[in-house]
Amino acid sequence: MTYENLQISIEDGIAIITINREKALNALNRKTMSELRYFFETEGADRTDISGVIITGAGEKAFVAGADITEFQGLNAAQGKELSQYGQDVFELIEEFKKPVVAAVNGFALGGGCELAMACHLRIAGEKARFGQPEVNLGLIPGYGGTQRLIQYIGKTKATELMMTADMISATDALQLGLVNYVVPVGDEVAKAKELLNKIATKAPGAIAKIIKTVNAYFAAETDGFASEVSAFGECCATEDFREGAAAFVEKRAANFKGK
Ligand code: CAA
């Protein structure tokens, strides 16, 4: 696929995806969503040369200011459902991606932008980042998983308030509420995301994939998280990386994981 709205570079085994619609504050139009879908379903899933992914936004103002509102006019109920389902499906691909995905939030993360950041496994916020779910201003509700994930991250009390008031919160408030992992100076978001991913890349990739799977299992209605942990733990024990990790500990040396 030729990407129009995503800029993708590979640096030190990390795929850096920049949502590149700066004039529209990187709003997620259908084309951008389909490109994200292609990356996480096909290209990124097939690549063996990446250990993780960073998603960020072009420019200094916005990570992503939401779904593209210009595409919303005239939507009927059936089309609205289809749009919401499509968005949820794309973000689920990110949440279930087998390698760690970090959002480097460099500005506004509103509506679908906040939902995109929440679909990632970890979030780094620049000091000027602002988070919010302002859909009620449009007579809407969050539609790309936000009503559910915001509660998962910050709890029902504050999530309900933010969704009802459309208030934006600062990066430091987001840190305090548990919505982001770190707040860094403006411009350092991607560097911090890389630092985290480089650290994670020293661990056994199969174990990292199973952390993603079992953490997601906690929230999935159809799975029993504890049962998922038991089976993932058992699968880890059958890997070469587990034998290497345990041997390295006993031999007092660094483990050399091969992803097998
Ligand atoms: N969709 C389409 N275009 C958008 C956009 C969006 N979500 N957000 C900003 N833009 C465009 C603006 O229309 C403007 O374009 P023009 O220059 O052509 O007029 C450009 O980006 C710059 O924006 P502003 O002039 O508004 O910049 P500002 O600094 O005054 O305000 C802002 C910044 C507070 C983020 C404001 O742009 C804003 O409120 N944006 C909309 C945020 C929003 O409501 N997001 C939720 C969308 S709905 C959704 O996401 C549903 C869902 O759950 C899936």
Side-chain angles (χ1 to χ4, degrees):
M1 165 182 271
T2 313
Y3 295 101
E4 264 175 40
N5 300 328
L6 302 185
Q7 216 173 53
I8 302 178
S9 61
I10 311 291
E11 293 176 26
D12 303 326
I14 295 169
I16 303 181
I17 299 178
T18 305
I19 316 274
N20 194 22
R21 300 187 71 225
E22 194 176 345
K23 282 189 185 149
L25 301 189
N26 306 318
L28 299 171
N29 61 0
R30 286 169 206 272
K31 179 82 175 91
T32 310
M33 290 298 280
S34 73
E35 290 180 11
L36 281 171
R37 174 171 212 143
Y38 180 77
F39 181 85
F40 284 98
E41 192 168 52
T42 307
E43 189 194 338
D46 290 346
R47 289 190 81 128
T48 51
D49 60 338
I50 57 168
S51 60
V53 180
I54 296 171
I55 302 180
T56 193
E60 289 176 4
K61 192 165 170 181
F63 171 68
V64 166
D68 191 320
I69 300 167
T70 62
E71 292 184 344
F72 280 15
Q73 279 166 325
L75 285 182
N76 63 29
Q79 291 163 330
K81 274 190 187 173
E82 199 185 317
L83 183 97
S84 173
Q85 189 63 60
Y86 187 81
Q88 284 195 11
D89 291 349
V90 173
F91 287 5
E92 202 174 301
L93 285 171
I94 297 174
E95 189 168 58
E96 291 179 355
F97 198 64
K98 292 188 170 64
K99 292 168 184 171
V101 184
V102 183
V105 182
N106 53 308
F108 289 114
L110 302 176
C114 188
E115 293 171 298
L116 172 61
M118 291 193 292
C120 297
H121 305 123
L122 301 163
R123 281 154 294 287
I124 310 298
E127 277 165 347
K128 288 196 180 153
R130 310 261 285 158
F131 296 82
Q133 296 291 161
E135 288 86 349
V136 290
N137 287 336
L138 304 168
L140 286 174
I141 64 167
Y144 294 171
T147 60
Q148 306 303 296
R149 289 198 183 95
L150 194 59
I151 295 170
Q152 292 168 5
Y153 289 118
I154 71 172
K156 184 175 172 185
T157 304
K158 203 68 191 171
T160 306
E161 179 192 331
L162 290 186
M163 287 188 279
M164 284 184 169
T165 60
D167 282 350
M168 288 187 217
I169 57 168
S170 67
T172 44
D173 284 345
L175 182 67
Q176 209 170 24
L177 287 166
L179 185 57
V180 302
N181 298 81
Y182 295 95
V183 177
V184 297
V186 170
D188 288 355
E189 301 87 356
V190 169
K192 180 69 186 177
K194 275 186 188 170
E195 182 191 314
L196 261 183
L197 286 173
N198 283 333
K199 183 189 269 190
I200 295 168
T202 65
K203 317 300 177 195
I208 297 300
K210 285 180 172 51
I211 295 287
I212 291 169
K213 189 176 171 186
T214 50
V215 167
N216 288 341
Y218 176 85
F219 295 105
E222 72 281 5
T223 51
D224 173 343
F226 285 99
S228 171
E229 181 184 279
V230 166
S231 86
F233 188 91
E235 285 160 23
C236 284
C237 291
T239 64
E240 278 180 32
D241 277 350
F242 163 62
R243 283 188 285 282
E244 163 63 9
F249 178 81
V250 172
E251 292 160 20
K252 300 192 186 304
R253 60 173 173 83
N256 178 17
F257 293 120
K258 300 221 165 63
K260 292 181 183 164

